[in-house]
Amino acid sequence: MKFSENTPLVEEVMDFIRKSKMFNKTTFHVDNLEVINDFNEAQNLAWSQDSSEVDTVWEYVKSQEAESIVERVYDLELVTQQDDLYDYFSDHDNYSNDFIPFDYIDINEEVEGDLTMCALNRLVNGTTDNFFGKIFEIYKAGGWPCGWKGTYPNGEVIVYVP
């Protein structure tokens, strides 16, 4: 597939799901974030809509960041490429066997959506250091971004690492 001058960057995300596995690293290191090791806590952070439990609702953060990417997709007239990426990342045949270990299958849709946005981000922004650039860095390092510490946009990503 051709994705403008950013094709190699988009293909890196595509290759990640074809050739890698989640949580398959022995060490985890990404700067400026908070790491947690409790999967139940991670799920609660990722899916909580209760502002008395979390500083900022994680889905709100991701949707705010995704909005600007989708806007650029339309501005740059890349809707066909966007549709191709949605199709690619929603087709489970494109993922390596056991990409997400069975014990973590509950987060499959979250991961799929995140990585789709990482690819779209690279399509429209290249290697710009931004939110979804950081999210892809976290996935490559072996973590699952699952929440936000602080009041968005101030604060940092919370990452689950087994």
Side-chain angles (χ1 to χ4, degrees):
M1 288 186 245
K2 279 296 208 188
F3 297 104
S4 72
E5 70 274 2
N6 293 326
T7 295
L9 299 171
V10 174
E11 287 177 342
E12 183 182 355
V13 184
M14 297 167 82
D15 286 346
F16 176 73
I17 69 167
R18 277 196 306 258
K19 299 176 181 175
S20 301
K21 294 186 187 308
M22 292 276 302
F23 310 126
N24 199 26
K25 304 284 185 188
T26 54
T27 60
F28 178 85
H29 179 75
V30 177
D31 293 328
N32 303 318
L33 48 79
E34 180 175 322
V35 174
I36 61 172
N37 304 110
D38 180 324
F39 187 57
N40 288 328
E41 179 185 358
Q43 288 177 299
N44 287 338
L45 289 168
W47 299 326
S48 177
Q49 299 295 309
D50 186 348
S51 59
S52 68
E53 290 183 24
V54 294
D55 296 329
T56 301
V57 174
W58 182 233
E59 282 303 316
Y60 169 78
V61 174
K62 293 195 309 183
S63 69
Q64 288 295 110
E65 294 291 339
E67 187 178 296
S68 65
I69 292 170
V70 172
E71 201 173 277
R72 286 199 31 90
V73 165
Y74 284 93
D75 289 347
L76 297 171
E77 298 180 3
L78 296 171
V79 175
T80 301
Q81 292 87 337
Q82 172 186 262
D83 293 345
D84 290 345
L85 288 172
Y86 282 137
D87 290 344
Y88 185 86
F89 283 91
S90 66
D91 185 346
H92 295 274
D93 290 339
N94 292 321
Y95 291 77
S96 66
N97 289 337
D98 302 322
F99 175 76
I100 296 178
F102 185 75
D103 290 347
Y104 299 101
I105 202 69
D106 290 347
I107 64 170
N108 183 59
E109 288 181 19
E110 295 287 321
V111 171
E112 179 184 301
D114 288 351
L115 292 171
T116 301
M117 290 311 302
C118 290
L120 285 171
N121 178 55
R122 286 177 155 220
L123 173 68
V124 299
N125 294 316
T127 57
T128 303
D129 182 20
N130 61 17
F131 178 80
F132 279 104
K134 177 90 165 188
I135 296 301
F136 188 50
E137 181 183 348
I138 291 166
Y139 276 109
K140 289 190 304 182
W144 175 48
C146 60
W148 188 265
K149 181 179 180 178
T151 303
Y152 179 78
N154 300 314
E156 59 193 8
V157 177
I158 301 171
V159 179
Y160 169 74
V161 178

